[in-house]
Amino acid sequence: MATFFGEVVVAPSRAGVDDEELAEEAREETPEDREIRRELEKKREIDVLWTLKSGACTEGSADEPFAYSEFIVAIGHNAAAFLSSFILDSVCWEVVGVVKLWNEWCRTSHTTNVLPTDSFCLFYRLISDPTVLLCQCSCYVAEDQQFQWLEKVFGRMRKEGLQVTILSTCPVADYKTQESTLTLPSPFLKALKTKEFKEQVCCPLLEQPNIARDLPAA
């Protein structure tokens, strides 16, 4: 801690800590601490439940992978609201799944009857073409849960012939450009794509050094 303004202080660092010190810290952990840690890890596990025609829910790992051609994921409240307003406002879609997760910023359940203010993650299938799947994800997925989310959601899908589209938003203030952000139209659309995507992109590509973050990046 600095004793006066402007003093240079060395921040504590884990660099150079050897295995013996780490092992010593592990030995200092009590059985109660280990039990609490295990309970927290278990509570933070993500459950993906797929809704059957009967209305029941089952964990997806027990069934064969689904064959989809299009998977559109809207991440965040704005992107999820966009899907609600312009795509899901008809009876052409049916709910086929839900993600249940818990973390410091989010509490979801396996219910599919959600309010606009709820945090949720629902999957919709196009009735006229069951190979088209949408996902509305307005809940916060913590950094340590993102790999779980990807593994359990995409683990139910065949990768051959699958095109994935991610919709997400970020504040204009986070956009890095040589122009003044005050002159930029708001909102505006930019795209990132993989080398496997060979079709025409519907908007300009995102310029460097802008990056995607969190679940969209994962």
Side-chain angles (χ1 to χ4, degrees):
M1 181 177 180
T3 57
F4 61 89
F5 181 76
E7 179 184 5
V8 177
V9 268
V10 179
S13 172
R14 300 297 293 171
V17 176
D18 57 22
D19 294 338
E20 291 184 3
E21 292 184 33
L22 294 176
E24 182 65 27
E25 290 182 4
R27 284 194 293 270
E28 292 176 358
E29 187 180 43
T30 65
E32 291 79 9
D33 293 335
R34 287 193 291 271
E35 182 63 25
I36 292 173
R37 179 167 51 80
R38 282 194 294 266
E39 288 298 322
L40 283 174
E41 290 174 353
K42 184 177 180 181
K43 195 171 185 178
R44 294 177 72 89
E45 290 182 1
I46 291 178
D47 292 323
V48 180
L49 308 173
W50 297 97
T51 305
L52 304 177
K53 291 183 179 180
S54 62
C57 288
T58 180
E59 291 195 21
S61 58
D63 301 320
E64 291 295 324
F66 298 130
Y68 292 114
S69 61
E70 297 276 347
F71 182 35
I72 301 174
V73 188
I75 300 174
H77 289 283
N78 291 335
F82 175 82
L83 283 191
S84 294
S85 301
F86 296 99
I87 298 180
L88 294 172
D89 60 344
S90 65
V91 294
C92 301
W93 303 86
E94 60 179 347
V95 178
V96 294
V98 61
V99 174
K100 182 180 179 182
L101 62 87
W102 177 95
N103 57 49
E104 296 84 355
W105 301 99
C106 180
R107 310 286 190 274
T108 64
S109 66
H110 62 269
T111 181
T112 57
N113 298 318
V114 297
L115 299 174
T117 56
D118 290 343
S119 293
F120 60 89
C121 187
L122 297 178
F123 297 93
Y124 297 85
R125 185 173 60 185
L126 186 61
I127 296 176
S128 60
D129 184 0
T131 67
V132 178
L133 186 71
L134 295 184
C135 175
Q136 272 186 304
C137 184
S138 71
C139 58
Y140 172 74
V141 182
E143 185 174 343
D144 63 309
Q145 296 176 313
Q146 291 170 11
F147 179 76
Q148 277 192 71
W149 195 97
L150 295 168
E151 188 178 43
K152 294 189 176 182
V153 171
F154 284 93
R156 286 302 318 277
M157 302 180 190
R158 294 178 184 173
K159 309 303 186 296
E160 297 80 8
L162 176 64
Q163 179 173 302
V164 181
T165 303
I166 310 294
L167 304 175
S168 66
T169 59
C170 69
V172 175
D174 291 345
Y175 179 62
K176 297 176 177 61
T177 177
Q178 294 181 350
E179 303 177 47
S180 170
T181 55
L182 297 176
T183 63
L184 293 173
S186 183
F188 60 89
L189 189 65
K190 298 284 184 175
L192 289 172
K193 69 180 185 70
T194 62
K195 61 182 179 180
E196 286 79 13
F197 186 80
K198 303 301 182 183
E199 300 180 19
Q200 183 70 29
V201 180
C202 65
C203 62
L205 295 177
L206 186 65
E207 309 90 347
Q208 294 182 357
N210 293 285
I211 60 173
R213 295 181 174 87
D214 302 321
L215 187 59

